[in-house]
Amino acid sequence: MNQPAAEIYRKLHNAQDLFYFNIRIEETDLHIGSVAEIRQQAETAVTKYRNIIKDYIKKNANFAHSMTPLACAENSPAIIKEMCLASQTANVGPMAAVAGAIAQFTGQELSHCSEELIIENGGDIFITGKKDRLIGIYAGDSPFSNKIALKIPAGLMPLGICTSAGTHGHSFSQGKADAAIVISKNTILADALATAFGNRITASADLNDAMEYIKTFADVIGAFAIVEGNIAAYGCVELEII
């Protein structure tokens, strides 16, 4: 997601009861909402998990570029194993889950410092707390963009809400969806599956087949897609006009 788009999108999930700040380290750009100032803790956590991934890539160069799943050794770091497992489930490359992985691992660490927490990483969100939240949907030039939001009940949290898009943003997609969203308790899996879900949507005619595909995964709580002015939804997806 480019910077102007990110600025627009990030306004869509800002909540008045949270303190917001950004953590930018090289390619990583996180927007974090918490109940207190935890910038230093967040920067430390993001740096740690980025370094783990970078160190692994130095020894396993294909990890950074593979478009198909890769196996990893049993003694690999936890974040690497989770990325490999998610990529195997979704049949995509492991780096398709990197944004969700950093969001989830950072979020799990910071949740000890902040009961209410939203971490957005390039359109992929880790969210936890005891309050219902609205997560606005950015879908590029779609007429639905910035007009609707997902209502997320606190009872479902912690939760991952991850988006793939083929018409805007920097993430690679083989599809043409304005937004292909997957919701799961596992943010890393949601990220990998959002890529696979979005890859299957090149036109409105693909929506039914793409939804049937995403329904096959037991860990998917809900899915939502926008393409060519059409919307499809599955599972625990409640929309609200904003």
Side-chain angles (χ1 to χ4, degrees):
M1 188 180 298
N2 60 39
Q3 196 57 36
E7 291 173 0
I8 294 169
Y9 176 73
R10 287 172 172 178
K11 292 178 181 178
L12 298 179
H13 61 257
N14 279 8
Q16 293 183 350
D17 63 317
L18 299 181
F19 172 83
Y20 284 88
F21 58 95
N22 294 336
I23 298 293
R24 296 189 180 99
I25 303 174
E26 298 178 2
E27 304 93 341
T28 300
D29 182 4
L30 272 64
H31 187 59
I32 299 176
S34 62
V35 295
E37 166 61 87
I38 55 172
R39 185 186 303 272
Q40 185 58 56
Q41 296 96 316
E43 187 168 333
T44 298
V46 173
T47 300
K48 175 173 68 176
Y49 294 117
R50 275 187 54 86
N51 285 342
I52 290 172
I53 295 169
K54 288 171 68 176
D55 288 346
Y56 188 82
I57 289 172
K58 287 179 182 177
K59 301 172 185 176
N60 304 271
N62 198 33
F63 189 85
H65 307 293
S66 178
M67 303 294 286
T68 57
L70 296 175
C72 63
E74 189 61 33
N75 63 350
S76 299
I79 192 169
I80 298 297
K81 289 196 286 188
E82 290 285 341
M83 289 172 66
C84 286
L85 182 60
S87 75
Q88 290 160 11
T89 300
N91 196 29
V92 295
M95 288 297 282
V98 66
I102 291 177
Q104 178 171 307
F105 271 76
T106 299
Q108 289 171 336
E109 193 162 320
L110 296 182
S111 63
H112 299 293
C113 308
S114 177
E115 188 175 66
E116 301 289 327
L117 189 64
I118 300 175
I119 297 182
E120 183 267 330
N121 186 10
D124 299 316
I125 292 174
F126 170 88
I127 183 170
T128 190
K130 296 184 177 180
K131 295 182 179 181
D132 295 351
R133 298 286 179 188
L134 286 178
I135 301 297
I137 296 172
Y138 177 77
D141 294 330
S142 167
F144 296 108
S145 193
N146 308 334
K147 303 291 178 58
I148 54 178
L150 297 172
K151 185 174 182 180
I152 307 298
L156 288 179
M157 301 178 196
L159 206 62
I161 306 161
C162 295
T163 305
S164 176
T167 58
H168 59 91
H170 65 269
S171 297
F172 175 77
S173 175
Q174 296 174 357
K176 297 295 182 183
D178 296 306
I181 299 171
V182 173
I183 305 169
S184 173
K185 299 289 285 184
N186 185 329
T187 309
I188 306 167
L189 179 62
D191 193 7
L193 284 175
T195 298
F197 183 43
N199 285 347
R200 285 165 168 76
I201 304 172
T202 60
S204 298
D206 299 323
L207 285 173
N208 286 340
D209 286 346
M211 281 297 172
E212 289 303 313
Y213 162 79
I214 209 67
K215 288 179 184 179
T216 64
F217 297 95
D219 290 328
V220 171
I221 292 173
F224 178 81
I226 300 174
V227 63
E228 296 180 338
N230 291 285
I231 290 177
Y234 157 73
C236 296
V237 175
E238 184 176 349
L239 298 175
E240 188 165 310
I241 297 173
I242 56 175

